C-alpha cells in the first residue's frame, strides 16, 4: 500500500512580500498552518503581523510570493502560467469562508446584536431569515450573550461587542478564523471574557491565526507561534519552547518587555 498523501495545510505563505509607499513591511515571509491548528503571531508594533493577516484574506494585496488557503491561491488564479487577480465576486466568495475579528469590533452600529449576526447569513449565504435567527441565537448563547439579541452595540461593553463580532464571524461557518489583536482595545478586566470564548473555539478544532500580545494565551492555547520583527520571521515553533527558551536575542528583548 502506498503512503497516504500529506494533508494540505489550511494556510501556507511562501516568500510573501508587501510594501507601502516604498517601505517594505513583509520581507519574504514563510508560514504554514495545519488544519485545526491555532497559530499566534507575536512581535512589536509595526512588525508586519496585521499586514500578513490582512493579506491572508486579500484585504491587502501582497506584492510577491504566494499565499494559499486550503490549497488555493488567495485573490489570484493561475492561467496559462500567469497570475490573474480574481474578480470582486470571486474574492467575496473566498472571504466568506474566512472569518475575521478586528481590534475595533466593526459592528454595524444601526443594527441590533441579532441583526449583526444574521445579516451576513442572509445577504451573502442566502440563508432564510428564520433559520439565520435560530443560528444567531445559538451562537450568541455560545459566546455568553443570550438575552442581548435586541441590544445595540452602543449598549454593550467592549468585551460584549467583541464577542458579538466573534459570533458574527462564526455565523458564516468559516473554515479559518483570523483575529487581529482582538483584546487590544479592551479594558483589562474585559480581556478574559474574550479570551475564554477563543479558548473554547480552539477546542472545537477551528483553524485560527491570532495576532496577539497576550503571551499567556499563546503559551496555553497555540500549537505554534511566529515572532515577527521588521517584516521577517525571527523565530517560530512550539510556544512552550519559543516563549520560555528563545534563541533570538531580539525575541528575548521583546519578551522581557511584555512578560512583566
Amino acid at each position: 500500500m502506498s503512503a497516504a498523501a500529506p494533508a494540505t495545510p489550511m494556510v501556507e505563505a511562501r516568500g510573501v512580500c508587501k510594501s507601502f509607499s516604498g517601505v517594505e513591511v513583509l520581507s519574504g515571509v514563510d508560514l504554514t498552518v495545519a488544519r485545526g491548528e491555532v497559530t499566534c503571531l507575536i512581535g512589536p508594533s509595526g512588525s508586519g503581523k496585521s499586514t500578513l493577516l490582512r493579506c491572508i484574506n486579500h484585504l491587502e494585496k501582497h506584492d510577491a510570493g504566494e499565499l494559499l488557503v486550503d490549497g488555493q491561491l488567495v485573490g489570484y488564479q493561475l492561467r496559462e502560467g500567469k497570475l490573474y487577480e480574481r474578480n470582486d465576486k470571486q474574492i467575496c466568495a473566498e472571504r466568506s469562508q474566512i472569518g475575521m475579528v478586528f481590534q475595533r469590533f466593526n459592528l454595524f452600529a444601526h443594527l441590533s446584536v441579532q441583526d449583526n449576526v444574521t445579516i451576513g447569513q442572509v445577504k451573502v449565504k442566502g440563508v432564510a431569515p428564520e433559520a439565520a435567527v435560530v443560528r444567531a441565537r445559538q451562537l450568541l448563547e455560545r459566546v455568553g450573550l443570550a438575552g442581548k439579541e435586541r441590544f445595540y452595540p452602543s449598549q454593550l461593553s467592549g468585551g460584549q461587542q467583541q464577542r458579538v463580532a466573534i459570533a458574527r464571524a462564526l455565523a458564516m461557518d468559516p473554515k479559518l478564523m483570523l483575529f487581529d489583536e482582538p483584546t487590544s482595545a479592551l479594558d483589562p478586566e474585559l480581556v478574559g471574557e474574550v479570551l475564554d470564548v477563543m479558548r473554547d473555539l480552539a477546542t472545537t478544532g477551528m483553524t485560527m491565526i491570532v495576532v496577539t500580545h497576550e503571551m499567556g494565551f499563546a503559551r496555553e492555547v497555540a500549537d505554534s507561534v511566529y515572532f515577527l520583527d521588521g517584516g521577517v520571521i525571527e523565530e517560530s515553533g512550539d510556544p512552550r519552547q519559543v516563549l520560555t527558551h528563545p534563541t533570538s536575542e531580539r525575541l528575548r528583548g521583546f519578551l522581557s518587555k511584555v512578560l512583566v
Side-chain angles (χ1 to χ4, degrees):
M1 294 178 62
S2 59
T8 302
M10 181 58 76
V11 179
E12 192 170 7
R14 304 170 182 164
V16 172
C17 298
K18 175 65 182 178
S19 297
F20 294 103
S21 302
V23 177
E24 195 167 46
V25 179
L26 296 174
S27 305
V29 168
D30 295 314
L31 171 145
T32 301
V33 181
R35 297 171 188 275
E37 191 172 81
V38 177
T39 294
C40 284
L41 307 181
I42 64 171
S45 297
S47 60
K49 307 181 302 296
S50 294
T51 298
L52 176 58
L53 211 65
R54 292 173 66 85
C55 285
I56 289 172
N57 68 354
H58 208 58
L59 288 175
E60 298 288 353
K61 302 177 185 179
H62 55 288
D63 301 323
E66 290 184 334
L67 264 172
L68 298 95
V69 172
D70 202 11
Q72 300 296 315
L73 289 169
V74 172
Y76 297 90
Q77 53 188 328
L78 187 64
R79 297 200 306 265
E80 299 177 354
K82 293 184 179 180
L83 285 177
Y84 296 88
E85 188 171 13
R86 298 184 188 276
N87 60 41
D88 289 344
K89 184 176 181 179
Q90 292 170 324
I91 291 171
C92 285
E94 283 185 349
R95 287 200 191 116
S96 71
Q97 301 179 66
I98 303 173
M100 186 154 183
V101 178
F102 300 87
Q103 297 179 37
R104 291 287 177 180
F105 325 136
N106 287 10
L107 298 178
F108 297 110
H110 65 292
L111 296 181
S112 69
V113 165
Q114 180 171 285
D115 289 344
N116 263 281
V117 181
T118 59
I119 188 169
Q121 298 180 70
V122 174
K123 298 291 187 181
V124 178
K125 298 191 70 177
V127 175
E130 298 81 4
V133 167
V134 170
R135 176 69 169 149
R137 289 177 177 266
Q138 290 172 341
L139 289 168
L140 289 169
E141 181 175 4
R142 178 177 176 182
V143 300
L145 292 174
K148 301 290 187 183
E149 294 85 0
R150 298 300 177 188
F151 282 57
Y152 284 82
S154 62
Q155 297 173 295
L156 303 178
S157 70
Q160 290 172 328
Q161 290 185 62
Q162 194 62 294
R163 284 185 280 154
V164 174
I166 294 172
R168 180 178 64 179
L170 291 175
M172 301 300 288
D173 295 318
K175 56 188 175 184
L176 169 67
M177 284 285 287
L178 309 177
F179 294 86
D180 188 6
E181 298 191 35
T183 60
S184 65
L186 302 179
D187 292 334
E189 63 268 24
L190 301 178
V191 169
E193 62 189 45
V194 173
L195 293 180
D196 284 344
V197 171
M198 294 171 64
R199 287 187 183 95
D200 176 69
L201 184 58
T203 65
T204 68
M206 173 64 73
T207 309
M208 300 163 58
I209 304 178
V210 185
V211 172
T212 185
H213 291 294
E214 301 290 338
M215 296 300 108
F217 175 83
R219 186 184 294 109
E220 175 191 350
V221 178
D223 298 289
S224 61
V225 63
Y226 286 76
F227 172 63
L228 281 82
D229 187 46
V232 300
I233 304 292
E234 282 280 340
E235 192 165 344
S236 63
D238 185 303
R240 285 150 289 277
Q241 174 65 32
V242 171
L243 299 179
T244 306
H245 304 290
T247 59
S248 160
E249 183 176 342
R250 184 67 187 90
L251 177 53
R252 286 196 294 269
F254 172 76
L255 291 176
S256 71
K257 295 175 182 177
V258 298
L259 294 177
V260 294

